[in-house]
Amino acid sequence: MDAAVSLTLAQVIALVAALAAGGWSWASGMGRDDRLLLHPFAAGNLLVLAGVLLTLGRSPDATALERTLHYWLADVCALSGMASFAYGVFGVLGLNRWPRRLGAAVVGAALLMALLPGPELRWRGFLFGVTAAGLCGSLAWRARAAHRRRQEQLVVGPIILVFGAIALSMAVRALLLAWGPEWALKAEATAVGTSLPMLWTVLVQLMVMNLALVGLVLSRLVQRIHHLARHDPLTGCLNRRAVDHHLTAELQAGGYGVILLDLDHFKQVNDRYGHNAGDAALRHVVAVLQAGLREEDLLARWGGEEFLLILPGATVTETLQAAERLRAALEAEPLLWQGAPLHLTASFSVGSFRREAMDVTALDAGLYRAKAAGRNQVVRA
Ligand SMILES: Nc1nc2c(ncn2[C@@H]2O[C@H](COP(=O)(O)OP(=O)(O)OP(=O)(O)O)[C@@H](O)[C@H]2O)c(=O)[nH]1
């Protein structure tokens, strides 16, 4: 009876892993545009599947060499699968320096395990458990660190829980095999591959792990969509839509300064140097403006060559001073275009509001006056 259930469970595990691998391969096409690499999750499922199948296929009648190869391959597949999952998660979290360490851990463990004789379960199990615990533990740890840094919108809680739990169970298993009672070793020798608790554990882990990964990837995509919806693709600063979102009641209650600026004779830049130079000039302007702002200030692209700045808590005098400082900085720092300086200036219109909506019409009128008065100057709206 147990043997039949074991076989069914093993088949379910194989099916889940194969479906998950197929699903991740399919989804990786969607993530490609967003530089979201999902192949490692497909590979991770396939490798875990191979590891499980090899473990299930262990035969007591095999020769010592066959058993050695079988055991070794099964363990290396399972470890590579975990490394692949970790690689994928690090990619989603933007932690790019880790792949080499993951590779080194798997190759090191594989080499050490290759040196052990086939039936040597104790130290093989120990090495496997320690490496697996290290891989899953570092994944959970790094995810936790990324969560603490500004990536709080990402759903990393389930990842931390699932991989943390796997790391813990692997560490306990390694310790039990190396220094635990004799029954632990016996259980490993006889039950591995066919025991129902083990198969259930693998099945649940595989499903929960994939669900946690789906949660992480979806939250990453939602975060990306939010970012795209609120940022200007050319310059990377906020867009007009984002301004409303940032102009909260709290910010308005505290008062805020606003600067609307428009580049002078920008059409000539495009006409003389080409559209690429115009784009580079817009990026340059954003860099100069950003360098002169406080962390709490907001910079948004209001239109083609118009930018809007919001200075929370700033009085009209402070906003006028800030605008003058930015105007001078822009004038003093030309864009280097194909080795030659390309001089840029802008006209600024300044307003200050408290407990009231921003008066864009007044700011626009101020800009018009600054242009009419000769450009490259600051006026109060
Ligand atoms: N390269 C580039 N040019 C842009 C972009 N958005 C708007 N422009 C250009 O900005 C120029 C704006 O020109 P105008 O509105 O005539 O104003 P101007 O030449 O700056 O003159 P004044 O504002 O009167 O000083 C147009 O030539 C637009 O094509 C962009 O994203 N990239």
PDB file of all heavy atoms in Angstrom, residues 232-238 279 282-283 286 290 301 307:
ATOM      1  N   ASP A 232       9.440  59.533 -16.001  1.00  0.00           N
ATOM      2  CA  ASP A 232       9.675  59.860 -17.394  1.00  0.00           C
ATOM      3  C   ASP A 232      10.765  58.923 -17.930  1.00  0.00           C
ATOM      4  O   ASP A 232      11.852  58.867 -17.353  1.00  0.00           O
ATOM      5  CB  ASP A 232      10.127  61.331 -17.457  1.00  0.00           C
ATOM      6  CG  ASP A 232      10.663  61.686 -18.817  1.00  0.00           C
ATOM      7  OD1 ASP A 232      10.025  61.298 -19.803  1.00  0.00           O
ATOM      8  OD2 ASP A 232      11.725  62.331 -18.883  1.00  0.00           O
ATOM      9  N   PRO A 233      10.476  58.215 -19.020  1.00  0.00           N
ATOM     10  CA  PRO A 233      11.460  57.222 -19.480  1.00  0.00           C
ATOM     11  C   PRO A 233      12.772  57.840 -19.957  1.00  0.00           C
ATOM     12  O   PRO A 233      13.821  57.215 -19.844  1.00  0.00           O
ATOM     13  CB  PRO A 233      10.750  56.501 -20.636  1.00  0.00           C
ATOM     14  CG  PRO A 233       9.600  57.357 -21.012  1.00  0.00           C
ATOM     15  CD  PRO A 233       9.250  58.195 -19.816  1.00  0.00           C
ATOM     16  N   LEU A 234      12.731  59.070 -20.485  1.00  0.00           N
ATOM     17  CA  LEU A 234      13.960  59.668 -21.026  1.00  0.00           C
ATOM     18  C   LEU A 234      14.910  60.114 -19.914  1.00  0.00           C
ATOM     19  O   LEU A 234      16.102  59.815 -19.934  1.00  0.00           O
ATOM     20  CB  LEU A 234      13.618  60.860 -21.930  1.00  0.00           C
ATOM     21  CG  LEU A 234      14.823  61.605 -22.491  1.00  0.00           C
ATOM     22  CD1 LEU A 234      15.579  60.733 -23.486  1.00  0.00           C
ATOM     23  CD2 LEU A 234      14.403  62.909 -23.168  1.00  0.00           C
ATOM     24  N   THR A 235      14.394  60.826 -18.941  1.00  0.00           N
ATOM     25  CA  THR A 235      15.267  61.431 -17.939  1.00  0.00           C
ATOM     26  C   THR A 235      15.273  60.670 -16.611  1.00  0.00           C
ATOM     27  O   THR A 235      16.152  60.885 -15.782  1.00  0.00           O
ATOM     28  CB  THR A 235      14.808  62.874 -17.643  1.00  0.00           C
ATOM     29  OG1 THR A 235      13.465  62.802 -17.157  1.00  0.00           O
ATOM     30  CG2 THR A 235      14.858  63.728 -18.883  1.00  0.00           C
ATOM     31  N   GLY A 236      14.280  59.821 -16.409  1.00  0.00           N
ATOM     32  CA  GLY A 236      14.222  59.055 -15.156  1.00  0.00           C
ATOM     33  C   GLY A 236      13.600  59.833 -14.004  1.00  0.00           C
ATOM     34  O   GLY A 236      13.398  59.284 -12.924  1.00  0.00           O
ATOM     35  N   CYS A 237      13.295  61.131 -14.205  1.00  0.00           N
ATOM     36  CA  CYS A 237      12.669  61.871 -13.094  1.00  0.00           C
ATOM     37  C   CYS A 237      11.158  61.620 -13.100  1.00  0.00           C
ATOM     38  O   CYS A 237      10.636  60.928 -13.974  1.00  0.00           O
ATOM     39  CB  CYS A 237      13.020  63.358 -13.158  1.00  0.00           C
ATOM     40  SG  CYS A 237      12.283  64.223 -14.531  1.00  0.00           S
ATOM     41  N   LEU A 238      10.453  62.170 -12.123  1.00  0.00           N
ATOM     42  CA  LEU A 238       9.008  61.940 -12.038  1.00  0.00           C
ATOM     43  C   LEU A 238       8.317  62.514 -13.274  1.00  0.00           C
ATOM     44  O   LEU A 238       8.855  63.411 -13.924  1.00  0.00           O
ATOM     45  CB  LEU A 238       8.444  62.630 -10.794  1.00  0.00           C
ATOM     46  CG  LEU A 238       8.948  62.114  -9.452  1.00  0.00           C
ATOM     47  CD1 LEU A 238       8.424  62.992  -8.324  1.00  0.00           C
ATOM     48  CD2 LEU A 238       8.542  60.663  -9.233  1.00  0.00           C
ATOM     49  N   ASP A 279      17.941  65.153 -26.570  1.00  0.00           N
ATOM     50  CA  ASP A 279      17.676  64.187 -25.488  1.00  0.00           C
ATOM     51  C   ASP A 279      18.779  64.235 -24.427  1.00  0.00           C
ATOM     52  O   ASP A 279      18.501  64.226 -23.218  1.00  0.00           O
ATOM     53  CB  ASP A 279      17.586  62.764 -26.061  1.00  0.00           C
ATOM     54  CG  ASP A 279      16.272  62.552 -26.807  1.00  0.00           C
ATOM     55  OD1 ASP A 279      15.419  63.455 -26.759  1.00  0.00           O
ATOM     56  OD2 ASP A 279      16.117  61.487 -27.435  1.00  0.00           O
ATOM     57  N   LEU A 282      18.361  67.221 -22.247  1.00  0.00           N
ATOM     58  CA  LEU A 282      17.300  67.071 -21.227  1.00  0.00           C
ATOM     59  C   LEU A 282      17.823  66.248 -20.036  1.00  0.00           C
ATOM     60  O   LEU A 282      17.561  66.577 -18.872  1.00  0.00           O
ATOM     61  CB  LEU A 282      16.063  66.394 -21.841  1.00  0.00           C
ATOM     62  CG  LEU A 282      15.290  67.258 -22.838  1.00  0.00           C
ATOM     63  CD1 LEU A 282      14.259  66.450 -23.599  1.00  0.00           C
ATOM     64  CD2 LEU A 282      14.612  68.430 -22.120  1.00  0.00           C
ATOM     65  N   ARG A 283      18.582  65.185 -20.348  1.00  0.00           N
ATOM     66  CA  ARG A 283      19.145  64.366 -19.259  1.00  0.00           C
ATOM     67  C   ARG A 283      20.160  65.178 -18.445  1.00  0.00           C
ATOM     68  O   ARG A 283      20.229  65.084 -17.228  1.00  0.00           O
ATOM     69  CB  ARG A 283      19.791  63.098 -19.822  1.00  0.00           C
ATOM     70  CG  ARG A 283      18.765  62.031 -20.188  1.00  0.00           C
ATOM     71  CD  ARG A 283      19.446  60.700 -20.429  1.00  0.00           C
ATOM     72  NE  ARG A 283      20.211  60.725 -21.667  1.00  0.00           N
ATOM     73  CZ  ARG A 283      19.773  60.268 -22.830  1.00  0.00           C
ATOM     74  NH1 ARG A 283      18.583  59.723 -22.910  1.00  0.00           N
ATOM     75  NH2 ARG A 283      20.526  60.316 -23.903  1.00  0.00           N
ATOM     76  N   VAL A 286      18.393  67.539 -16.069  1.00  0.00           N
ATOM     77  CA  VAL A 286      17.894  66.826 -14.889  1.00  0.00           C
ATOM     78  C   VAL A 286      19.039  66.556 -13.906  1.00  0.00           C
ATOM     79  O   VAL A 286      18.885  66.729 -12.691  1.00  0.00           O
ATOM     80  CB  VAL A 286      17.187  65.503 -15.311  1.00  0.00           C
ATOM     81  CG1 VAL A 286      16.972  64.585 -14.128  1.00  0.00           C
ATOM     82  CG2 VAL A 286      15.846  65.836 -15.959  1.00  0.00           C
ATOM     83  N   GLN A 290      19.029  68.026 -10.231  1.00  0.00           N
ATOM     84  CA  GLN A 290      19.006  67.092  -9.110  1.00  0.00           C
ATOM     85  C   GLN A 290      20.173  67.321  -8.158  1.00  0.00           C
ATOM     86  O   GLN A 290      20.020  67.192  -6.931  1.00  0.00           O
ATOM     87  CB  GLN A 290      19.025  65.650  -9.612  1.00  0.00           C
ATOM     88  CG  GLN A 290      17.763  64.904  -9.229  1.00  0.00           C
ATOM     89  CD  GLN A 290      17.371  63.846 -10.248  1.00  0.00           C
ATOM     90  OE1 GLN A 290      18.143  63.525 -11.153  1.00  0.00           O
ATOM     91  NE2 GLN A 290      16.173  63.328 -10.113  1.00  0.00           N
ATOM     92  N   ARG A 301       9.204  66.025 -14.859  1.00  0.00           N
ATOM     93  CA  ARG A 301       9.171  66.578 -16.223  1.00  0.00           C
ATOM     94  C   ARG A 301       7.715  66.941 -16.498  1.00  0.00           C
ATOM     95  O   ARG A 301       6.839  66.075 -16.506  1.00  0.00           O
ATOM     96  CB  ARG A 301       9.677  65.526 -17.216  1.00  0.00           C
ATOM     97  CG  ARG A 301       9.869  66.110 -18.591  1.00  0.00           C
ATOM     98  CD  ARG A 301      10.647  65.197 -19.479  1.00  0.00           C
ATOM     99  NE  ARG A 301      10.672  65.700 -20.844  1.00  0.00           N
ATOM    100  CZ  ARG A 301      10.963  64.959 -21.882  1.00  0.00           C
ATOM    101  NH1 ARG A 301      11.288  63.696 -21.727  1.00  0.00           N
ATOM    102  NH2 ARG A 301      10.956  65.498 -23.097  1.00  0.00           N
ATOM    103  N   PHE A 307      10.115  71.682 -16.800  1.00  0.00           N
ATOM    104  CA  PHE A 307      10.261  70.882 -15.575  1.00  0.00           C
ATOM    105  C   PHE A 307       9.599  71.606 -14.405  1.00  0.00           C
ATOM    106  O   PHE A 307       9.570  72.841 -14.367  1.00  0.00           O
ATOM    107  CB  PHE A 307      11.744  70.654 -15.254  1.00  0.00           C
ATOM    108  CG  PHE A 307      12.425  69.786 -16.277  1.00  0.00           C
ATOM    109  CD1 PHE A 307      13.045  70.352 -17.390  1.00  0.00           C
ATOM    110  CD2 PHE A 307      12.422  68.409 -16.149  1.00  0.00           C
ATOM    111  CE1 PHE A 307      13.652  69.559 -18.344  1.00  0.00           C
ATOM    112  CE2 PHE A 307      13.026  67.596 -17.101  1.00  0.00           C
ATOM    113  CZ  PHE A 307      13.647  68.179 -18.207  1.00  0.00           C
TER     114      PHE A 307
END
